[in-house]
Structures are given as structure tokens and as C-alpha cells.
Amino acid sequence: MVLRGKRKVVFMEKTKNQHYVPQMYIKRFGYGAEDNPRISVLKKQEGIILHNQNPENFASKRFFYDTTEDVIEEVLKWDIETFPSIKESKFYHDEQLAEHTLSRMEGAYRELLDNLETTPEMIYEDKSRARFICFIHELAYRTRSFRDRMDDINSKTEEVLSEMCDNLGLSEEIKRKTIEENCIPGINIQLENILSLAPTLQTMKMLVENYDWYIGNNDTELDFIISDNPAQMLWCHLNDICIPISKRIAVVMRVKDEEAPMISGDKAKGNIINMSIMGVIAYNMMQISMAQFYLFGSEKAINFMQNINTLYNSIGSPQ
């Protein structure tokens, strides 16, 4: 508990190990006892497979989302202008606002995914679809991969601006201000996408207006897998977006353009896509291509996809 002036502000307990892919989502692709599920993990860079792993041990980093009140105020600037009462919330002054916000939402998302697995038609209900979009929007922007990409862009931009200022003979003060005005740290961009309402509404508008939605049934011998960067296709605006709900069910969104190339050649019948084995492989390969460090799934699926990936890399590599 912290006292600020006369106002008492109560913070939740600090979370040290913060998962950038929800454990509850990773567990859906594992196996074993319901109260102690295990997962098979492909370490992408090393090409090593680990079986019977605890999902808790992956896709996390210490104090990953921690920030300052100044950064929170900056990333919520639009929200505060629209809803000034936000600043009166007890959560506003929480340096772990993002972590605690994500944790509070995961119970609702878990219930949603459970319901979609048993009754996938619920995705066509407005409330379920809106909540699902919130979930996959967070899934796309909360990862370490997204943060690292934004930091890399920021670093390269800073280098270019610094060189330009030096070549023009500008003062160090002007150079500093130029860099500050044009370079945004990766964590700021990430937190804005996670916490601010506007980016979520933009994703919702894009997915509802530009895509047809389907239920993907996987009755093949191969399970869906996911990566530690499972929804990058959202911010890449791919034509064919597959978000697995579990090993057997997915939500598939395809751009409303009959001429657009698709990742999978499986055709829809009504609002259902019955996956072929090649369709599942195609979507699993997309997860492999997006993965930063890890792939998660059942033993058989991870073993199979590692073999496919090794073959693909050997064919594509120059001899």
C-alpha cells in the first residue's frame, strides 16, 4: 500500500516472472492430467525438442511489462483525453499495470476459449467475437518478439537521424530533440497497444470489415501447434489468419478478396473449413516462421513439424 497525498492507493502483489504468451493458452496444446498439463517444446534456434515440459517455464521474462507512471500517462494519452476519470483509478499509478491488466483478463479469455472449443458457433455472437478480438489483439502485441522488433526499428531510426544531424552540422541539443521526437521505445509502443482502447478498436474494425470468419475443424492426424509469437499475422495484416483455439479447433479469418492468395488451399463450406492434412501443415509452418524461440504442442505434432521444418530448410539451403 502507498499513500499519495491524502489518497490511499492499493497495488496488487508484484509479479516477477511475467508471461508474454498466456500459460492458459499454451496449456491448450499440451497433454496429460488436466491439473498438471505438460507440453512438448521445440527450441527453434537450436533445433532441440523437449518433451513433458511445464508450460510455466516458457515464454516469460522477469518484470517484462514494468514501467513508470510517466510512460503510462503517455501511452494512455488518447484514453485520458476521452475518459479523464481514468486518472482517478487506483490502477493508474501501478507500475505493473500491464501485467495486472493482462492477468485480470485471462480468466474471461479462458472461459471464452473453453466455450468456443465446445460450441465454436459462438464466434458469430457479437459479444463472443468482440471478446475474441480483444484476446487475439493482446496476443499479437504482448510478445517479446513484437517488443524486440520495435526496439530494432527504433535503434535503426536513431542511427539514421544521428548521422543526418551530424552531416548537417546540427548541435547536440537539436540532435537530441530530433531523436526524442521521432524515436519511440519498443515498450511504449507495446504498452500503448496493450492498454489503450484505440488500437484494439482499429484491430476490431479491420477484422470485422475486411475478413470473412470461419470455424476450422481439424480432424486430421496432426494437431495444431502454436509459437511464442502466435498472432503476428494480425499486425502483418495477412490475407489468411488462423488462430487455433486448441489442438483441434481454430478460428480462420480470410480477407474478402477472391483473388488474394491464401496460406491454406482448403475451401469453406458455409462457415466451416474442414482442414486437410496439408492445410494443418501450412498453418503450423506459419507458426514456425513466426516463432522467436519456441514452438508448443503435443509430442507427435512437434516431432512431425520439426521433421518437416528440417526438410524444408535443407531443400531451401544452397548446397
Side-chain angles (χ1 to χ4, degrees):
M1 181 174 69
V2 178
L3 292 178
R4 292 183 180 272
K6 295 182 180 180
R7 180 172 53 186
K8 182 186 293 183
V9 181
V10 180
F11 294 156
M12 297 172 65
E13 183 180 350
K14 271 205 167 188
T15 303
K16 296 179 181 179
N17 193 37
Q18 301 176 3
H19 285 80
Y20 50 85
V21 180
Q23 293 181 69
M24 67 87 182
Y25 187 54
I26 297 175
K27 290 175 180 178
R28 304 184 72 83
F29 300 87
Y31 45 86
E34 186 175 345
D35 61 345
N36 187 31
R38 314 305 280 179
I39 199 82
S40 290
V41 180
L42 169 59
K43 299 178 74 173
K44 180 179 178 179
Q45 296 177 1
E46 297 91 335
I48 297 171
I49 294 177
L50 307 173
H51 292 304
N52 198 36
Q53 298 298 300
N54 186 343
E56 182 180 334
N57 298 331
F58 298 92
S60 66
K61 191 173 182 181
R62 286 173 62 86
F63 303 111
F64 184 61
Y65 300 112
D66 284 18
T67 188
T68 65
E69 191 171 318
D70 289 342
V71 171
I72 291 173
E73 184 161 4
E74 175 63 28
V75 302
L76 291 179
K77 181 168 52 179
W78 179 88
D79 305 77
I80 293 169
E81 290 176 0
T82 309
F83 308 104
S85 60
I86 289 175
K87 297 190 74 170
E88 302 303 315
S89 168
K90 67 180 181 181
F91 302 114
Y92 180 77
H93 306 279
D94 181 3
E95 65 184 14
Q96 292 199 320
L97 176 61
E99 169 64 16
H100 292 153
T101 298
L102 293 169
S103 297
R104 282 192 295 270
M105 294 301 298
E106 283 181 16
Y109 293 149
R110 182 186 297 109
E111 180 182 11
L112 171 68
L113 297 182
D114 286 345
N115 290 336
L116 288 176
E117 187 169 7
T118 58
T119 314
E121 295 80 9
M122 286 181 62
I123 197 62
Y124 299 108
E125 299 175 1
D126 289 344
K127 183 177 180 180
S128 295
R129 186 180 298 203
R131 184 171 291 181
F132 183 74
I133 291 173
C134 291
F135 168 65
I136 62 177
H137 173 86
E138 288 180 4
L139 201 61
Y141 290 98
R142 66 182 287 176
T143 64
R144 179 174 174 179
S145 177
F146 179 76
R147 169 93 64 86
D148 288 349
R149 284 172 185 257
M150 295 303 102
D151 280 335
D152 186 53
I153 292 171
N154 184 66
S155 177
K156 286 182 170 57
T157 303
E158 185 174 337
E159 288 179 10
V160 170
L161 290 175
S162 180
E163 185 176 350
M164 288 176 59
C165 289
D166 290 340
N167 290 340
L168 291 170
L170 301 178
S171 68
E172 289 298 314
E173 177 66 15
I174 293 177
K175 179 165 73 171
R176 181 186 64 79
K177 288 183 177 180
T178 301
I179 291 173
E180 285 181 356
E181 290 172 358
N182 292 278
C183 298
I184 304 174
I187 187 172
N188 292 38
I189 299 172
Q190 183 170 56
L191 292 177
E192 181 177 3
N193 278 282
I194 292 173
L195 297 175
S196 179
L197 183 59
T200 306
L201 292 177
Q202 290 169 0
T203 296
M204 190 171 296
K205 185 175 187 292
M206 175 193 72
L207 293 177
V208 171
E209 292 184 355
N210 300 331
Y211 289 80
D212 292 317
W213 290 52
Y214 304 95
I215 298 165
N217 287 329
N218 179 8
D219 292 325
T220 74
E221 296 180 0
L222 181 64
D223 294 331
F224 287 124
I225 64 172
I226 62 166
S227 74
D228 58 354
N229 185 30
Q232 178 184 319
M233 63 280 284
L234 260 74
W235 51 268
C236 288
H237 295 191
L238 296 190
N239 295 334
D240 188 358
I241 298 173
C242 176
I243 305 291
I245 300 299
S246 67
K247 293 177 285 189
R248 300 276 111 194
I249 296 288
V251 173
V252 179
M253 291 155 279
R254 290 180 171 175
V255 70
K256 296 177 180 179
D257 180 355
E258 294 182 358
E259 303 301 319
M262 298 295 167
I263 294 169
S264 165
D266 294 334
K267 303 297 183 182
K269 294 183 179 179
N271 61 357
I272 303 293
I273 298 176
N274 290 312
M275 299 285 184
S276 66
I277 186 70
M278 293 306 297
V280 176
I281 290 174
Y283 287 132
N284 282 354
M285 286 298 294
M286 181 56 61
Q287 289 291 331
I288 291 177
S289 70
M290 293 186 302
Q292 185 177 26
F293 301 113
Y294 304 115
L295 278 298
F296 308 109
S298 61
E299 290 189 23
K300 183 177 179 181
I302 289 295
N303 285 335
F304 182 84
M305 291 310 303
Q306 167 66 337
N307 291 335
I308 291 288
N309 191 52
T310 300
L311 178 62
Y312 176 82
N313 289 335
S314 66
I315 293 174
S317 300
Q319 299 299 317

